[in-house]
Amino acid sequence: MTHQPFMHDLSGVFAAPVQAWSEPDGQIRGAEAQGIYCSDERVVSVAVLSVDGVEPRWVSTQTHGADSVSYLSFIRTDPAVADPLVSLRRTRAADGSGVSESFEIVSAQDSPATFAVELRMTADNTPLERIKQGQSSAHPPQVRPEGWQWRDDHTNLQLSFTGSPTLSAGGAVVTATWLVTVPAGGSTGFSWRLTARDSAAPMMAPRTQGLAIPVQSAAGADAPREHGTADIARLLHHALSDINGLRMADRNSPDDTFLAAGAPWFFTMFGRDSLIAARMLLPIDTTLAAGTLRALAKRQGVQEDTATAEQPGKILHEVRRVTNTVTLDGKVSLPPVYYGTIDATPLWIMLLHEAWQAGMPDDEVRDLMPHLARALGWLRDHADPDGDGFLEYLDTSGHGLANQGWKDSGDSIRWHNGSLAEGSIALCEVQGYAYAAALAGADLLEAFGEGEAIAEAAEWRAYAAEMSERFRATFWCEDETGRYPAIALDAAKNPVDGVASNMGHLLGTGILNAEETETVVRRLMDPAMYSGYGIRTISTTNAAYWPTRYHAGSVWTHDSAMILGGLLSDGYVNEARRLAGGLLRAAQGFNWRLPELFAGHGAADTWPPVPYPASCRPQAWAAASAVPVAQALGYLDSKASGSTLPGIPLEPATA
């Protein structure tokens, strides 16, 4: 029996499409997900350092950013001297073409010392999907002097060294041994680098520059005093560093940068994830939104294909190099380009409108108007196959995702008694997205269209009004606490009565009236939903609730942040600040790097928050969530645009 690897206690460096994962001491031992990756392949499984045949004693890890981490160890010499007088600093860095390590040995001893430093590496060629399933490659590549190919002629890996080590190779193992002399009271340094190339991978390193780091954070006169400026600064520093590490480009659109969904499992283009992350970042940057919109538009659906779930005008779900076998039994197996998502297309429309409002140049918006027309066409012609007026999904391929909203695990849509709803499924939040997208499309058609476009804009405003009335008549449930929107409609068009965070995504879309908005806010901030760190995915009163159930009890960072943004949009500032304060407290417990998701245990009972062990960290929409948190706490002007934040200088981030 194999299991998905746990990631919560690993250390990593990232610069898409390259990533490296190690134990906290910096040693890469090949266990589970440890290793160095290029695109969707692990190319090195082991990189273990020893000095005179003994591993140095690790004492501290210093995270400088997403792309650089230092591991401080001591080399024990004279047993009669208690003080550790010889230190070894191992600094690992990633860039878009490889991973490097530099070593510095510093001595406080009175006499020179000579050490044999050995680095043992093992070549690998295990696809990421096999590692996620707890498996490994049975056929590692053979190492050759000129490097090695790990997949085919399109892939190549080269090693280079400074300090003139002795090299030896046998099978898949490469060993480099440096004989170094450290002067009394002095230091010496040496390094190595791995350069990896996968010229057939669909995604590549971006050509554009990342967001500026360090950032500044604003502390306006009306900022709430209970949250320190330094804490917000640390969160933003780590978040923007992670965002830069996740920046990627499509080989078909190399100048259009977007964010990969997350490391290690989703280090590629994901329509929904990339769009939501870009939306959150609009207050500080519009260029990433523009790149995301263009990159996804170039892969917009053009035909109907059951196997890939492609439809004309549809925005895709994900892109991989090869078929992605999601489950061990092979029942969920996604083609390399897969369109199985119900929400990416309305989210694309919403982002185009919001990016335009945030300052995206008119010419760039105008260039995307044909793609807007196709996306609206999908909303009209394909999103509602049974004609009941709601967007819904049902996998008809037999091997695709059973659930195609953001809660895309097979067991995420539940009745209050814990049982699973049967599809087709119409998610509540997707109707809100469709409402907002229709109005956004109408605005854009009126601003950039001609002739018939004006009449079409009126049709989309009517569509939104009708959607709101249908939603009000169909989706609402009631329990002993009161009314609330169901998580979804099932195949029989019954409201699925699970109390879930999905209702929070309706905030800010406009589909709710004032009374309904008040009801949703009250339900979300109830202790059954709000853990003190964030909003749980389902209520603790649900029979299936479990704090580490992926979509049924955990807290997802972006989920809470999207709800936070809706609270701000609808004028619930105090509730937004309370939720933002919870997320900030959670960030502190995760060393200022908010993970994809974490356990739903209450803040009154647990500190620090409990990790979800297989969570991506960094993850695009989790990192981008720092921006709405900063907005809610008064340290970032919600109307700001550009690439810098006003305010005081950033304090150095701590590991």
Side-chain angles (χ1 to χ4, degrees):
M1 182 68 177
T2 57
H3 299 277
Q4 182 173 342
F6 286 175
M7 305 296 302
H8 66 285
D9 57 348
L10 298 186
S11 173
V13 292
F14 324 92
V18 173
Q19 55 182 320
W21 291 90
S22 74
E23 294 189 355
D25 63 359
Q27 299 283 41
I28 300 175
R29 302 187 189 277
E32 296 190 322
Q34 294 180 40
I36 300 174
Y37 297 77
C38 179
S39 298
D40 272 350
E41 198 95 1
R42 183 168 66 186
V43 295
V44 171
S45 59
V46 173
V48 172
L49 186 74
S50 62
V51 179
D52 293 338
V54 178
E55 292 188 23
R57 292 295 301 273
W58 166 72
V59 293
S60 178
T61 295
Q62 303 291 318
T63 301
H64 309 300
D67 60 351
S68 179
V69 180
S70 292
Y71 309 95
L72 181 65
S73 302
F74 288 112
I75 301 171
R76 307 303 294 270
T77 53
D78 187 351
V81 178
D83 291 336
L85 298 180
V86 181
S87 67
L88 186 152
R89 183 177 295 273
R90 178 183 192 176
T91 299
R92 181 176 298 135
D95 57 47
S97 60
V99 170
S100 61
E101 288 191 339
S102 61
F103 305 98
E104 183 185 32
I105 301 177
V106 182
S107 173
Q109 296 185 128
D110 295 331
S111 59
T114 299
F115 302 100
V117 181
E118 179 184 281
L119 179 68
R120 177 174 55 86
M121 292 178 286
T122 301
D124 195 21
N125 65 344
T126 305
L128 185 64
E129 65 178 85
R130 289 180 60 86
I131 293 169
K132 189 177 182 182
Q133 295 169 6
Q135 302 173 337
S136 60
S137 175
H139 304 287
Q142 293 293 310
V143 175
R144 296 183 298 276
E146 67 273 17
W148 63 80
Q149 295 171 339
W150 67 82
R151 186 194 292 267
D152 52 33
D153 290 343
H154 296 285
T155 58
N156 181 264
L157 184 148
Q158 297 282 338
L159 296 175
S160 57
F161 303 86
T162 67
S164 302
T166 300
L167 301 178
S168 63
V173 178
V174 176
T175 302
T177 304
W178 290 267
L179 192 63
V180 297
T181 298
V182 185
S187 65
T188 190
F190 47 97
S191 65
W192 69 280
R193 176 175 173 80
L194 174 156
T195 302
R197 174 185 63 88
D198 184 353
S199 60
M203 303 300 152
M204 57 186 285
R207 294 177 178 176
T208 57
Q209 295 296 312
L211 296 178
I213 296 177
V215 299
Q216 296 174 316
S217 76
D222 60 345
R225 295 296 99 193
E226 66 267 24
H227 301 292
T229 302
D231 289 348
I232 300 291
R234 291 186 183 101
L235 175 61
L236 287 167
H237 176 96
H238 281 282
L240 295 188
S241 177
D242 285 349
I243 284 163
N244 283 341
L246 293 168
R247 293 167 64 257
M248 236 180 190
D250 189 336
R251 201 170 294 277
N252 294 336
S253 182
D255 294 320
D256 295 322
T257 302
F258 60 90
L259 295 184
W265 313 122
F266 309 113
F267 222 41
T268 186
M269 173 187 281
F270 269 71
R272 174 194 308 115
D273 299 51
S274 302
L275 288 162
I276 288 175
R279 286 185 71 205
M280 290 183 180
L281 293 169
L282 279 174
I284 62 172
D285 178 75
T286 62
T287 59
L288 189 63
T292 302
L293 288 162
R294 287 191 292 266
L296 288 169
K298 290 182 180 179
R299 288 185 177 267
Q300 193 171 21
V302 296
Q303 62 185 351
E304 292 198 52
D305 186 336
T306 299
T308 64
E310 181 180 359
Q311 293 171 326
K314 194 176 186 182
I315 300 299
L316 57 75
H317 174 62
E318 68 177 282
V319 180
R320 300 279 187 175
R321 194 182 194 277
V322 295
T323 296
N324 179 23
T325 303
V326 178
T327 56
L328 284 170
D329 58 13
K331 291 183 179 179
V332 181
S333 182
L334 309 182
V337 182
Y338 181 58
Y339 287 80
T341 169
I342 192 65
D343 50 11
T345 309
L347 287 168
W348 187 95
I349 298 169
M350 292 165 66
L351 178 61
L352 179 61
H353 182 255
E354 291 167 4
W356 171 52
Q357 291 183 318
M360 182 176 170
D362 283 0
D363 288 348
E364 295 184 29
V365 177
R366 188 173 289 107
D367 288 343
L368 289 169
M369 289 300 291
H371 297 280
L372 171 68
R374 294 170 200 150
L376 289 169
W378 176 84
L379 194 63
R380 180 189 60 238
D381 300 332
H382 298 281
D384 176 21
D386 64 4
D388 68 344
F390 295 119
L391 280 66
E392 59 208 349
Y393 60 81
L394 179 68
D395 174 58
T396 57
S397 71
H399 57 74
L401 293 174
N403 284 311
Q404 298 182 4
W406 82 260
K407 294 180 179 177
D408 59 2
S409 59
D411 62 351
S412 61
I413 310 304
R414 295 180 180 268
W415 296 84
H416 186 66
N417 66 11
S419 61
L420 298 179
E422 295 184 2
S424 59
I425 296 292
L427 294 169
C428 73
E429 75 272 21
V430 174
Q431 316 316 314
Y433 299 161
Y435 175 93
L439 295 180
D443 282 353
L444 290 164
L445 289 170
E446 289 170 348
F448 294 94
E450 298 178 0
E452 294 181 0
I454 305 301
E456 187 179 350
E459 293 174 4
W460 283 111
R461 295 193 188 281
Y463 171 99
E466 292 165 5
M467 171 67 80
S468 179
E469 291 304 315
R470 280 194 303 270
F471 186 89
R472 184 166 295 112
T474 310
F475 265 83
W476 284 81
C477 300
E478 188 166 0
D479 62 10
E480 65 279 1
T481 305
R483 299 179 71 242
Y484 62 96
I487 186 174
L489 304 181
D490 70 357
K493 307 304 177 184
N494 295 313
V496 181
D497 64 351
V499 178
S501 62
N502 302 57
M503 71 174 83
H505 293 227
L506 300 170
L507 300 174
T509 64
I511 197 172
L512 302 176
N513 63 30
E515 180 182 356
E516 292 163 345
T517 299
E518 172 70 27
T519 298
V520 169
V521 172
R522 178 173 53 81
R523 294 303 295 252
L524 291 170
M525 300 309 294
D526 184 89
M529 287 297 292
Y530 178 51
S531 74
Y533 294 124
I535 306 296
R536 297 182 177 97
T537 41
I538 63 169
S539 170
T540 58
T541 62
N542 192 291
Y545 168 79
W546 182 250
T548 50
R549 202 185 289 276
Y550 194 58
H551 285 136
S554 64
V555 172
W556 281 65
T557 298
H558 89 281
D559 188 26
S560 291
M562 290 184 72
I563 292 169
L564 193 162
L567 290 169
L568 287 175
S569 179
D570 287 336
Y572 286 84
V573 175
N574 290 335
E575 290 82 358
R577 286 180 174 174
R578 182 181 169 203
L579 179 53
L583 286 171
L584 186 65
R585 178 71 167 152
Q588 181 183 3
F590 289 113
N591 292 322
W592 306 108
R593 173 181 275 165
L594 282 164
E596 177 187 22
L597 71 155
F598 52 95
H601 299 91
D605 304 318
T606 56
W607 173 259
V610 177
Y612 181 86
S615 173
C616 286
R617 186 166 172 250
Q619 208 261 1
W621 56 22
S625 296
V627 171
V629 168
Q631 286 179 306
L633 296 178
Y635 293 90
L636 175 61
D637 181 359
S638 62
K639 297 182 175 61
S641 62
S643 60
T644 60
L645 307 180
I648 66 171
L650 175 73
E651 296 182 15
T654 57

